[in-house]
């Protein structure tokens, strides 16, 4: 993507579903602008000196959950973290984006995710030309191949997982077998369920074999001074399935994460924040809040916008300030408002009218499906932002009608709604 210097460049320049890292020309460093968050905490949990990046031994595997609204910049922060860690010998990092990995995000299960991270691990090692001994691969390969035989015996021939003929056991053959399994998880529901059932019924064995493989890989990495440990970064949970699916995978099946003896950083959808107490029995948690808007952060958002769009494409700076106000401290929502204003604009410039039309369009859509109990909660929130967590609040957080700041201590109604007359009427009735 290139910076927009002409009006019709804008739409591509604000493509808000394309994650970037700190090496991208559009990257803006918002460090220090999220109240309650400091990236040094992540380094300390990983036992890395945040200043010198010196590695220190971590004897117990880490599970770290990073929670926050969709669009706060978690993916950008995690990609930056991965790149910085890759410059050290502390961890061999494997990044998994669940929404971009050919899984069926509308029908997904814990088993699908474990198979995905297994595939990503093998591919990362293969791509780095790391030569894991056949003796270390063979036990896992043979166990996994037996499960594939079980799956094939329980499915139609057309849905079976193709197994290579008699070939040598190596990383490539293991990668091929796991990739074919993952491919079937985007197929028919009956095939998905068969695969999941086979692995769930043998999950203790699966985790044991997986852990043996992880240990052998880690041992190789240490002996060859490549890295001291493995780290999986699993992103995109807020983009998959329903609230019930996400809760089942991350909360109800959280014990299965414990069984996998690998370090993991996992993004936690904002609506599951109330479950952090349960997760803290075996994991750490850091909140990744929206950016609190003040004089300094507003200037930072101007930098964020002007990196993507030339100043001459805005009628004046008041237009940019209004975009930032409606963006409410969310980089993604800020870009979404610009994208909508581009569509609404009557001339080849972004002016206050196009921003107002974008605000009306976005807010009208947001309030269309509010139910009575949600409106009652919003009335209470308008009077007092210290409302207790509830299922209705979770839904409002997902829909970004309510926004959280400062480590979830502060809750506000999305400011884009406060200029909507119909919304105000709902709260005043």
């Amino acid at each position: 993507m290139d910076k927009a210097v002409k009006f019709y460049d804008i739409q591509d320049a604000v493509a808000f579903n394309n994650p970037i890292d700190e090496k991208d020309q559009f990257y803006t460093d918002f460090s220090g602008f999220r109240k309650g968050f400091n990236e040094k905490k992540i380094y300390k949990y990983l036992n890395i000196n945040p200043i010198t990046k010196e590695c220190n031994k971590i004897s117990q595997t880490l599970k770290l959950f990073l929670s926050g609204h969709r669009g706060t910049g978690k993916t950008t922060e995690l990609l930056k973290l991965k790149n910085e860690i890759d410059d050290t010998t502390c961890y061999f990092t494997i990044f998994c984006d669940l929404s971009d990995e050919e899984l069926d995000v509308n029908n997904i299960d814990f088993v699908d995710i474990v198979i995905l991270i297994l595939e990503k691990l093998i591919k990362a090692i293969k791509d780095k030309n790391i030569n894991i001994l056949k003796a270390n691969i063979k036990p896992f390969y043979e166990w996994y191949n037996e499960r594939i035989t079980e799956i094939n015996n329980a499915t139609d021939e057309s849905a079976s997982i193709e197994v290579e003929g008699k070939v040598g056991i190596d990383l490539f053959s293991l990668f091929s077998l796991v990739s074919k399994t993952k491919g079937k998880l985007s197929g028919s529901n009956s095939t998905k369920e068969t695969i999941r059932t086979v692995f769930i019924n043998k999950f203790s064995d699966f985790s044991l074999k997986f852990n043996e493989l992880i240990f052998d890989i880690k041992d190789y990495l240490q002996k060859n001074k490549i890295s001291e440990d493995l780290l999986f970064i699993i992103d995109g949970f807020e983009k998959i399935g329903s609230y019930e699916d996400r809760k089942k995978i991350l909360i109800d099946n959280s014990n299965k994460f414990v069984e996998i003896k690998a370090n993991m950083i996992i993004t936690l959808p904002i609506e599951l924040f109330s479950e952090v107490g349960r997760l803290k029995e075996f994991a750490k948690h850091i909140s990744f809040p929206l950016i609190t808007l003040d004089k300094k952060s507003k200037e930072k958002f101007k930098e964020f916008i002007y990196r993507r769009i030339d100043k001459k494409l805005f009628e004046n700076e008041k237009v940019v300030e209004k975009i930032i106000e409606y963006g409410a401290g969310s980089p993604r929502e800020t870009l979404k408002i610009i994208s909508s204003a581009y569509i609404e604009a009557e001339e080849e410039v972004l002016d206050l009218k196009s921003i107002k039309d974008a605000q009306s369009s976005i807010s009208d859509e947001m309030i269309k499906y509010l139910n009575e109990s949600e409106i009652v909660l919003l009335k209470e929130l308008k009077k007092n932002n210290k409302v207790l967590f509830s299922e209705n609040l979770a839904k409002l957080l997902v829909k970004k009608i309510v926004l959280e700041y400062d480590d979830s201590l502060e809750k506000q109604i999305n400011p884009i709604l406060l200029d909507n007359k119909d919304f105000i009427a709902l709260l005043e009735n």
Side-chain angles (χ1 to χ4, degrees):
M1 297 185 293
D2 296 317
K3 181 175 179 175
V5 294
K6 296 184 296 185
F7 183 76
Y8 287 98
D9 296 335
I10 291 175
Q11 192 74 314
D12 191 52
V14 297
F16 47 82
N17 285 323
N18 296 334
I20 62 171
D21 61 20
E22 80 285 2
K23 298 173 185 177
D24 194 281
Q25 64 170 327
F26 291 158
Y27 176 75
T28 303
D29 187 1
F30 283 108
S31 298
F33 291 99
R34 292 180 173 88
K35 286 176 68 176
F37 174 79
N38 189 326
E39 64 179 10
K40 289 181 181 179
K41 292 180 182 179
I42 299 179
Y43 281 99
K44 287 183 175 179
Y45 277 129
L46 292 168
N47 225 11
I48 299 174
N49 185 312
I51 307 300
T52 65
K53 300 299 186 286
E54 179 186 354
C55 314
N56 297 283
K57 186 177 179 181
I58 182 168
S59 56
Q60 186 174 358
T61 55
L62 172 72
K63 302 294 187 295
L64 174 62
F65 285 90
L66 187 68
S67 68
H69 280 283
R70 184 176 180 181
T72 54
K74 294 189 299 297
T75 300
T76 294
E77 187 70 26
L78 290 172
L79 287 170
K80 176 189 172 191
L81 176 73
K82 180 189 185 306
N83 290 337
E84 290 179 351
I85 291 175
D86 285 348
D87 287 337
T88 74
T89 57
C90 300
Y91 293 91
F92 187 88
T93 56
I94 299 95
F95 193 95
C96 307
D97 184 348
L98 302 182
S99 64
D100 193 32
E101 297 295 345
E102 299 173 2
L103 292 174
D104 183 353
V105 295
N106 295 312
N107 182 348
I108 194 166
D109 188 82
F110 182 85
V111 168
D112 309 26
I113 294 165
V114 175
I115 289 172
L116 168 65
I117 65 174
L118 173 61
E119 182 203 43
K120 297 287 281 187
L121 170 62
I122 299 166
K123 185 177 186 301
I125 289 171
K126 186 168 69 70
D127 290 348
K128 293 282 187 180
N129 295 315
I130 295 171
N131 186 25
I132 305 298
L133 295 174
K134 173 184 174 181
N136 294 339
I137 298 169
K138 187 177 179 182
F140 184 82
Y141 181 92
E142 290 179 341
W143 183 90
Y144 195 95
N145 200 37
E146 288 174 6
R147 304 292 77 73
I148 300 305
T149 301
E150 282 184 52
I151 292 165
N152 287 345
N153 288 339
T155 57
D156 295 334
E157 187 175 345
S158 60
S160 63
I161 299 167
E162 182 183 353
V163 179
E164 303 287 344
K166 292 197 172 182
V167 294
I169 296 174
D170 56 16
L171 271 178
F172 181 82
S173 58
L174 179 57
F175 176 70
S176 176
L177 201 57
V178 175
S179 292
K180 287 173 182 176
T181 312
K182 193 197 79 172
K184 292 296 181 181
L185 287 168
S186 60
S188 70
N189 288 341
S190 60
T191 303
K192 287 187 185 78
E193 291 308 313
T194 300
I195 294 170
R196 292 165 183 169
T197 300
V198 167
F199 280 103
I200 288 170
N201 288 343
K202 298 283 177 67
F203 194 81
S204 293
D205 289 342
F206 185 23
S207 60
L208 180 63
K209 294 294 180 184
F210 194 180
N211 290 336
E212 289 173 357
L213 180 65
I214 288 170
F215 178 83
D216 288 335
I217 291 170
K218 190 166 82 170
D219 185 59
Y220 179 93
L221 295 172
Q222 289 174 347
K223 285 179 178 177
N224 289 274
K225 301 188 185 302
I226 297 169
S227 67
E228 293 299 314
D229 212 332
L230 290 165
L231 172 65
F232 292 95
I233 300 175
I234 309 173
D235 187 30
F237 270 103
E238 69 267 36
K239 304 169 192 172
I240 66 165
S242 64
Y243 166 78
E244 289 74 20
D245 293 331
R246 297 188 286 272
K247 183 174 182 294
K248 177 185 174 185
I249 293 169
L250 287 167
I251 308 302
D252 300 339
N253 284 326
S254 59
N255 62 307
K256 289 186 170 60
F257 282 107
V258 180
E259 290 185 51
I260 304 296
K261 303 300 181 185
N263 303 301
M264 296 181 185
I265 297 177
I266 303 165
T267 56
L268 183 72
I270 189 72
E271 71 272 19
L272 295 177
F273 180 77
S274 64
E275 304 287 350
V276 164
R278 289 172 62 182
L279 295 175
K280 280 186 174 179
E281 293 178 11
F282 69 91
K284 307 297 183 183
H285 168 259
I286 294 178
S287 181
F288 193 79
L290 292 164
I291 296 157
T292 301
L293 291 179
D294 55 24
K295 186 176 180 180
K296 286 185 178 180
S297 61
K298 286 176 182 178
E299 287 302 312
K300 202 69 178 174
F301 264 106
K302 287 179 185 178
E303 176 192 331
F304 171 76
I305 292 169
Y306 291 144
R307 280 180 180 271
R308 291 176 180 259
I309 304 169
D310 195 285
K311 287 184 180 182
K312 69 184 180 186
L313 297 176
F314 300 94
E315 185 178 50
N316 52 50
E317 194 154 287
K318 286 185 178 179
V319 174
V320 178
E321 290 169 355
K322 183 56 72 172
I323 291 168
I324 294 168
E325 177 191 333
Y326 286 148
S330 166
R332 183 193 296 259
E333 294 307 302
T334 301
L335 296 179
K336 195 179 289 186
I337 291 161
I338 296 172
S339 177
S340 181
Y342 161 82
I343 299 298
E344 299 288 348
E346 295 176 1
E347 305 292 337
E348 291 188 8
V349 66
L350 296 177
D351 55 15
L352 282 172
K353 183 180 184 306
S354 65
I355 304 305
K356 179 60 182 172
D357 289 344
Q359 177 269 329
S360 295
S361 174
I362 293 168
S363 59
D364 284 346
E365 187 64 26
M366 290 174 76
I367 66 175
K368 193 181 292 183
Y369 304 106
L370 282 174
N371 62 43
E372 189 174 339
S373 58
E374 290 171 344
I375 293 168
V376 169
L377 190 147
L378 287 166
K379 288 179 179 180
E380 182 183 346
L381 181 62
K382 193 169 184 287
K383 294 177 184 175
N384 174 17
N385 69 3
K386 300 289 185 184
V387 295
L388 297 175
F389 196 90
S390 64
E391 187 176 334
N392 281 325
L393 179 57
K395 291 176 182 177
L396 292 171
L397 289 168
V398 172
K399 292 187 276 191
K400 299 190 184 74
I401 289 171
V402 173
L403 304 175
E404 288 189 334
Y405 299 84
D406 191 9
D407 202 14
S408 300
L409 296 175
E410 181 185 352
K411 296 175 179 63
Q412 295 181 8
I413 295 172
N414 192 327
I416 204 167
L417 293 165
L418 298 178
D419 279 345
N420 186 299
K421 292 179 181 178
D422 292 335
F423 179 75
I424 296 302
L426 282 173
L427 298 191
E428 291 178 351
N429 285 344

